[in-house]
Each structure stands twice: as structure tokens, then as C-alpha cells.
Amino acid sequence: MRQLFALLLVLAVAPFAHAALIVTVGSTSLSPNGTGSVDVFVRSTGGDTLDLASLTFRITPVSYPPGSSLVSFANPQSDSHFTSLGYLFAWDSAAAFFGPPASSVFTTTLADDTYVGGDGTLSGLGVPVPTTDTLLARLDLVAGPGGASSFLITLDPSSSFNSPDFSPIAFSATPGVVSTPEPVAVLVFGGLLTAGGWVVRRRATRG
């Protein structure tokens, strides 16, 4: 009798048991006053069906000294991942069906440092999440003027993933790094000064 009860308990819980999703945010480098994007990927540790993804991303500084370039989310976003055949919700995207905007950008600490968006299946049936990295979102970025800086793009813990039965799916996330190098003009000018000084020293030595 106890064995039968245990079996029934397992069968009752099984449909609501989920593995875990692993989210990875891409990294990139932006020129000062430049634009770019990073892709966000998701994969399952096995057997997850995803019906709804609610996503919040934050940009936080790693190195942002005075006078350096500020990286922000472009406002508005292009939501270009909807047109990719490799997109997780391709062919059954509620957000793509109802049209833009499917995301919003606002300020929490630094200008335009918070992205809120997401998607789900139009059918409500969910999509199997592959065990290999699959496109979940594409985040458009802009860099302001200034010197070298670096920022993290992180998936906020308030984000959520749900199966067709509305139960939550556990997830972990790896942040991406966005860096801006020194402006090219400054680097070139610094190189010319260095080369000029070397020539002067050579001439002085010869003299």
C-alpha cells in the first residue's frame, strides 16, 4: 500500500517537476558613440518546455571612471530577434504576432540601464528548450562619448520562466561584458607623439 501511494505521489508531481534553464548573455565591444548588440541564449539541462519568458536585464558598471563612455540600452529596441529563424519562439511568438513594442527601456541608476521584455507562445502549448544554446533575445546597445569603460549585462533575478501549466522553471544566468576602448583619435595621436619622441631622441643621440 505504501509503495502504491509513493508511486501515485511521484506520478502526481512529475508533470510539475522541471530541470533548469541556463541563460548566457553575450559580450561585445563598442566604439565610443557607437552602437551594437548582444545575443542572449538559453538552453535546458533536459526536458523543459517553456511557454512564457519574462525578462529583465540590467547594465551595471565594472569600470566607469569620470569622462569614460557610458553604455546603455538603445531606446527603443529593434526586437530583431523576432525575425531570426533560430529564435526560440519562432513560428509561435505571441509578441511577434501582436507586434511591437515587445520591450521597454528605462532608467534605474544610470541612463537607460534597465530592459524589460519577454515573449511566450501564441498557442499556449510551449516550446521544447534544446540542450544547446538557442536565441532568446537580442539587446541593442549604444555607447556615449568618452574614454575606456566596461559594464556587465545581467539577467535580473526578478525574471521568470514558466511552463504551459504555469509552474516556474528554475534558471541560472551568466552575465555578458560590454567594453569601450579608448577613442581611436586619442590612440593615434598618442602613438604619433610616442613615435615623434623616439625620432627626436634618435636625432639627439646621433647629434
Side-chain angles (χ1 to χ4, degrees):
M1 186 70 178
R2 289 182 179 178
Q3 289 85 347
L4 177 60
F5 177 77
L7 177 60
L8 292 174
L9 181 62
V10 169
L11 292 175
V13 173
F16 301 95
H18 299 283
L21 300 178
I22 299 175
V23 179
T24 303
V25 183
S27 298
T28 191
S29 179
L30 300 178
S31 300
N33 291 315
T35 60
S37 64
V38 294
D39 285 347
V40 180
F41 297 96
V42 64
R43 58 185 171 91
S44 172
T45 55
D48 290 302
T49 298
L50 179 63
D51 186 52
L52 179 65
S54 299
L55 307 172
T56 299
F57 293 95
R58 292 285 309 278
I59 295 178
T60 55
V62 176
S63 175
Y64 180 47
S68 61
S69 176
L70 174 64
V71 172
S72 307
F73 290 115
N75 192 6
Q77 293 278 301
S78 68
D79 293 326
S80 61
H81 49 282
F82 292 147
T83 62
S84 173
L85 296 179
Y87 177 50
L88 179 66
F89 292 106
W91 314 112
D92 195 12
S93 167
F97 179 82
F98 290 109
S103 59
S104 60
V105 172
F106 58 92
T107 297
T108 299
T109 304
L110 300 174
D112 292 336
D113 64 351
T114 303
Y115 167 107
V116 176
D119 200 356
T121 61
L122 185 64
S123 66
L125 299 176
V127 292
V129 182
T131 55
T132 55
D133 282 341
T134 305
L135 183 64
L136 177 65
R138 179 167 292 136
L139 309 175
D140 300 324
L141 306 170
V142 294
S149 60
S150 61
F151 296 83
L152 285 180
I153 301 180
T154 58
L155 180 65
D156 194 81
S158 64
S159 302
S160 62
F161 300 87
N162 295 89
S163 65
D165 60 18
F166 304 109
S167 58
I169 304 174
F171 67 93
S172 62
T174 301
V177 178
V178 180
S179 58
T180 61
E182 290 291 346
V184 174
V186 174
L187 294 175
V188 171
F189 184 64
L192 290 175
L193 288 178
T194 301
W198 181 80
V199 170
V200 170
R201 286 195 297 273
R202 288 276 295 177
R203 288 177 178 176
T205 303
R206 290 180 178 179

